[in-house]
Amino acid sequence: MDSGAEVTQSPPGGSTTYFDGASSKRRAVMLRLSDRLEIVEDGSALAAWAYDDIRGVDSPSGMLRLSCQTAPALARLEIRDTALAAELVSRCAKVNDNAPGRRGVAVIVGWSLAAAASIVAIVLFGLPLAADRLTPLVPETFERRLGDVADAQVKGLFNARVCDNPAGQAAFVKLVTAIRESAGLDTSVQSGVLSSSVPNAFALPGGKVYLFNGLLAKAENADEIAGVLAHELGHLKHRDNLRGLIRDSGTSFLIGLLFGDITGSSVLIFGSRTLVTSSHSREAEQNADGFAIDVMHRLGRPAKPTGELLLRVTGKEGKGLSIISSHPLSEDRLARMSREDRPASRPPLLTSAEWRSLKSICDAKL
Ligand SMILES: [Zn+2]
């Protein structure tokens, strides 16, 4: 969409909410993106915010919350539609300049300095080093917002929806919860099965893990899938996905950091594509495999089945998929998972009925 064009958006389900800052009334509103942001209720404008006055406010995952410097201090706009949020943020050059506290200033200053130093580092040493240095400095709130925008783009890229057949979803939640708790990750991790026939799984910055139905279709038991999900959670825990995004979107990401255009759509479109198609370093992959093996041990379940699934999907070459690509060959990974395997000491993570439900999570059911 051209950034100069006038856009009127009314997301389905009234997903944009406005608080005028004077009363506590929630208003379901429509946004008109002209030369300013107009907040419209029942056809009449309640407020108009200049893009440069709009600032981001801390918000839960899955929502963009904004304030405006010229509006009452407590006026808030809450947007749940990721495409609309991305479109709006791309027009708000100062959305990340929200009057920070002392610590916030230190983080931002440190971050800008790191970005400047990193640009020099790119020239001297290439990008991987810069990405390694920068990743720990990126605030989690920003990482989550980045993940939300990438999320919408990835679904578009694969033309995929999140499968939500209730019985399958219940089984998936049970499986993911067991793994997440074992992995020591909190409930901000979101996950789902995507209706794509590609056999793959990946994680996005900010705590989203997706399993493609194509990989589920090739799996023979819950342990195989559990290890894959644990591997992706390992990438999340080590922030490998954010590091990869910084590395692959390169200088545009870093320059964006310096000038505040962090959520610039060009960076993200490029970034999201590489998030799914590119690979982590061999070391990152081995760490994620180690993490997965560890989680399976703690769950009292064998690690070897995951290696068997990977080998089944890729053959001995092991190419072309982000859960698999370029890194240790599937044969080597299976060998490691076999070597470090322990026999099951606890019952299966899913009953056989739950496993069948999970396998058919993308089937429509009335
Ligand atoms: Zn991986």
Side-chain angles (χ1 to χ4, degrees):
M1 202 171 289
D2 289 339
S3 58
E6 180 163 323
V7 182
T8 305
Q9 298 207 25
S10 176
S15 69
T16 300
T17 309
Y18 173 64
F19 299 90
D20 63 13
S23 77
S24 60
K25 186 169 186 243
R26 309 168 63 88
R27 297 162 188 272
V29 294
M30 199 180 80
L31 301 182
R32 190 178 297 142
L33 277 58
S34 57
D35 57 331
R36 297 172 304 168
L37 169 64
E38 293 174 54
I39 300 165
V40 181
E41 184 186 46
D42 299 332
S44 57
L46 297 173
W49 293 0
Y51 293 118
D52 280 357
D53 291 338
I54 295 176
R55 297 290 182 272
V57 183
D58 262 359
S59 58
S61 178
M63 177 207 287
L64 175 66
R65 188 180 283 152
L66 299 171
S67 66
C68 176
Q69 298 204 309
T70 53
L74 295 176
R76 292 288 182 273
L77 195 57
E78 296 179 348
I79 302 165
R80 287 173 192 77
D81 181 280
T82 42
L84 175 57
E87 172 64 29
L88 178 55
V89 162
S90 72
R91 295 169 186 237
C92 300
K94 298 178 180 168
V95 71
N96 292 302
D97 293 3
N98 39 356
R102 198 172 292 162
R103 193 182 153 275
V105 170
V107 168
I108 288 167
V109 169
W111 200 23
S112 302
L113 287 177
S118 298
I119 290 175
V120 175
I122 295 161
V123 177
L124 295 178
F125 307 113
L127 272 167
L129 179 62
D132 283 346
R133 293 212 173 150
L134 200 53
T135 300
L137 298 168
V138 175
E140 277 179 35
T141 46
F142 168 60
E143 187 178 349
R144 268 206 300 280
R145 201 174 307 153
L146 202 60
D148 288 344
V149 178
D151 188 39
Q153 293 184 350
V154 163
K155 283 178 197 152
L157 201 63
F158 285 92
N159 193 19
R161 63 180 177 91
V162 177
C163 299
D164 56 359
N165 160 329
Q169 186 60 22
F172 185 69
V173 168
K174 182 181 173 187
L175 187 63
V176 167
T177 303
I179 300 161
R180 183 178 55 69
E181 286 176 354
S182 239
L185 286 157
D186 65 30
T187 52
S188 64
V189 174
Q190 298 174 348
S191 51
V193 178
L194 290 184
S195 63
S196 165
S197 59
V198 179
N200 205 354
F202 65 93
L204 293 176
K208 289 178 204 287
V209 172
Y210 286 118
L211 176 67
F212 284 3
N213 193 38
L215 190 60
L216 194 52
K218 298 216 185 258
E220 291 172 1
N221 58 62
D223 290 331
E224 294 184 350
I225 289 298
V228 167
L229 293 170
H231 172 101
E232 294 303 327
L233 289 180
H235 282 313
L236 276 188
K237 192 148 187 164
H238 304 135
R239 300 182 96 183
D240 293 329
N241 312 88
L242 179 63
R243 189 175 294 108
L245 180 69
I246 294 174
R247 187 172 46 231
D248 294 337
S249 54
T251 44
S252 56
F253 184 94
L254 295 170
I255 290 165
L257 278 180
L258 280 179
F259 294 100
D261 177 28
I262 312 182
T263 39
S265 47
S266 58
V267 174
L268 281 164
I269 288 166
F270 183 50
S272 319
R273 195 176 290 273
T274 55
L275 271 177
V276 184
T277 55
S278 83
S279 50
H280 301 303
S281 70
R282 195 181 177 91
E283 188 191 359
E285 285 307 321
Q286 285 171 345
N287 288 340
D289 276 351
F291 186 86
I293 291 168
D294 207 46
V295 165
M296 295 308 283
H297 285 173
R298 260 178 275 152
L299 287 167
R301 300 301 305 169
K304 190 179 168 192
T306 298
E308 289 168 340
L309 171 64
L310 297 181
L311 192 61
R312 189 180 315 133
V313 170
T314 62
K316 290 181 180 180
E317 302 298 312
K319 59 181 179 212
L321 307 166
S322 67
I323 172 86
I324 297 148
S325 65
S326 88
H327 331 322
L329 291 175
S330 295
E331 261 186 317
D332 297 343
R333 298 175 77 179
L334 173 59
R336 176 182 179 187
M337 287 173 184
S338 305
R339 202 166 53 240
E340 300 181 25
D341 196 33
R342 290 182 198 165
S345 59
R346 300 223 197 121
L349 298 166
L350 297 180
T351 65
S352 52
E354 285 167 337
W355 172 242
R356 279 195 304 277
S357 299
L358 178 56
K359 288 275 280 184
S360 53
I361 189 170
C362 292
D363 299 350
K365 197 178 268 181
L366 293 173

